[in-house]
Amino acid sequence: MIDTDTSGRLTGHLSWALRLEVAVSNRLLAYAPKAETVPPAQWHRIAPVVRSLGFMAIAAGPYGPDVVMTPLARLVAWVEAQGLPLEPSVILDQSTVERFILVGCRDMAANSRRTCSSQLRRASEALLLDQLGQHPPIRLKATAAPVAPYPPAEIAYWLIWAQSLPTPAQRRNACLLFCLGVGCGLAVEDLVYVRGRDILAGPTGRALVKVHGRRPRTVVCRYAYEELLLAEAARIPAESYAFRPDWQDRTSKHIASDWLAKYPRIIGRCDGAVLQTQRLRTTWLVDLLNAGIPLKVILKASGLGTLHSLSRYLVFLHDVPEAEASDLLRGAAA
């Protein structure tokens, strides 16, 4: 027999749970993605499937409707476009989710892509276990290591290579890729938007590069590369893109690697070596750190937001002799 007080508490608890379930159900039924996320005609076809998965995901997983519905809508829309069956066991299969993240999310910014990946994987694992009795696969996690900087001998080699290519257009693209990478530390997402007008001659002959996009800033080119950079920039019309002006899709992450792979015998591969834009930027960063340039200056020039972003490069810094380290720590006499 349940006493009056206990009965009241149970009734109140059930009433609250019921109200919560109704509220969640209403939000799921009212949900509709933006037209640029899923076209309205396609959403009309897949809405029942997405809402059904949404109900199960919220019941089994850690996310509410405001978090999980848009990633699920993207996933289901992509699965339908691939001609796959709209079944939970297919949609939420780990291989389907992995393929969607790699192929179906190319238009998303890197941070949004990582967030979508995390949300879908956790929802998928929870649903597979709750609905299908499948345990998620064991994930092996390795520590990400940064690419190593180029040693001075290889930098000299690539500089000769860039200036020795057969045609003027190839030489200009190679020299600009090289100078903007190792001379200015620009990542691919930075250098693709640099126009002729953005490379300027500053005071005392220095070269300045205005960077647009996600991390706008002005970078001073390293002394060793400023003359070559200014010489190549002088041949570029003010409104033309500096690197690969004929390339239409400036948002492509493959604009540099595609160019390096286009002429495998003469561009980017000599004696088995491969020119990598990320290694050029790493070389620039490590050179600045070894030069003892103040960290705030490096962060501002590189577009990095935190000191933690630089910690991965510590393994590449020069060792300081004990006597020199002692003098540096002691400081100058007052």
Side-chain angles (χ1 to χ4, degrees):
M1 181 176 180
I2 301 175
D3 62 49
T4 305
D5 184 57
T6 302
S7 175
R9 289 200 302 270
L10 287 173
T11 301
H13 178 74
L14 291 173
S15 177
W16 175 85
L18 182 61
R19 289 198 301 271
L20 179 61
E21 184 176 345
V22 170
V24 170
S25 298
N26 289 338
R27 288 165 72 181
L28 286 175
L29 292 172
Y31 171 80
K34 295 180 180 178
E36 57 266 29
T37 301
V38 179
Q42 186 182 24
W43 173 244
H44 182 73
R45 296 194 304 271
I46 68 173
V49 178
V50 177
R51 289 186 177 122
S52 176
L53 291 176
F55 276 110
M56 292 190 294
I58 292 167
Y63 298 123
D66 295 335
V67 174
V68 79
M69 288 301 287
T70 296
L72 283 175
R74 285 180 175 271
L75 174 62
V76 175
W78 181 83
V79 168
E80 187 200 45
Q82 303 305 303
L84 298 173
L86 295 183
E87 299 290 339
S89 60
V90 175
I91 298 171
L92 299 173
D93 186 82
Q94 291 293 310
S95 62
T96 304
V97 174
E98 295 285 349
R99 181 69 177 166
F100 168 68
I101 297 301
L102 290 173
V103 178
C105 296
R106 287 179 175 173
D107 61 328
M108 297 174 66
N111 288 339
S112 299
R113 188 175 183 179
R114 284 192 291 270
T115 300
C116 182
S117 172
S118 175
Q119 292 166 346
L120 282 178
R121 286 188 175 119
R122 291 194 66 188
S124 171
E125 291 171 359
L127 273 170
L128 288 174
L129 180 60
D130 185 67
Q131 300 294 322
L132 305 176
Q134 298 179 12
H135 288 273
I138 297 174
R139 297 187 180 276
L140 301 178
K141 185 177 181 181
T143 303
V147 295
Y150 283 112
E154 287 193 38
I155 287 293
Y157 169 80
W158 285 116
L159 188 56
I160 295 171
W161 163 83
Q163 298 176 84
S164 304
L165 295 175
T167 70
Q170 290 173 1
R171 290 194 294 273
R172 182 171 304 117
N173 278 324
C175 289
L176 287 168
L177 186 68
F178 192 84
C179 291
L180 292 174
V182 78
C184 303
L186 269 58
V188 172
E189 66 175 282
D190 297 323
L191 68 88
V192 296
Y193 294 109
V194 174
R195 298 179 184 267
R197 65 168 184 260
D198 296 323
I199 304 175
L200 311 169
T204 66
R206 69 188 62 181
L208 308 177
V209 179
K210 291 185 177 180
V211 181
H212 306 281
R214 187 167 60 92
R215 301 177 292 193
R217 60 196 186 278
T218 298
V219 183
V220 180
C221 182
R222 299 289 278 169
Y223 175 81
Y225 311 102
E226 62 185 19
E227 184 177 351
L228 178 59
L229 178 60
L230 290 174
E232 294 297 337
R235 303 184 178 93
I236 304 171
E239 296 303 316
S240 292
Y241 288 109
F243 178 70
R244 298 195 74 180
D246 57 330
W247 186 270
Q248 299 300 316
D249 184 11
R250 310 309 292 187
T251 63
S252 172
K253 297 180 180 179
H254 306 289
I255 186 170
S257 59
D258 174 83
W259 183 81
L260 290 168
K262 194 173 183 180
Y263 310 100
R265 294 188 179 179
I266 57 174
I267 295 183
R269 293 175 173 84
C270 302
D271 299 329
V274 178
L275 183 64
Q276 298 176 349
T277 54
Q278 183 57 45
R279 286 192 72 185
L280 294 175
R281 176 172 164 83
T282 297
T283 304
W284 175 80
L285 279 167
V286 172
D287 283 349
L288 297 185
L289 290 168
N290 277 325
I293 294 175
L295 294 177
K296 287 192 69 173
V297 175
I298 297 177
L299 289 175
K300 184 177 180 180
S302 64
L304 296 174
T306 64
L307 290 175
H308 177 68
S309 305
L310 296 174
S311 62
R312 71 185 72 177
Y313 303 106
L314 294 178
V315 66
F316 302 122
L317 300 189
H318 298 325
D319 290 329
V320 178
E322 186 174 348
E324 182 181 348
S326 179
D327 289 341
L328 290 171
L329 292 171
R330 183 187 184 199

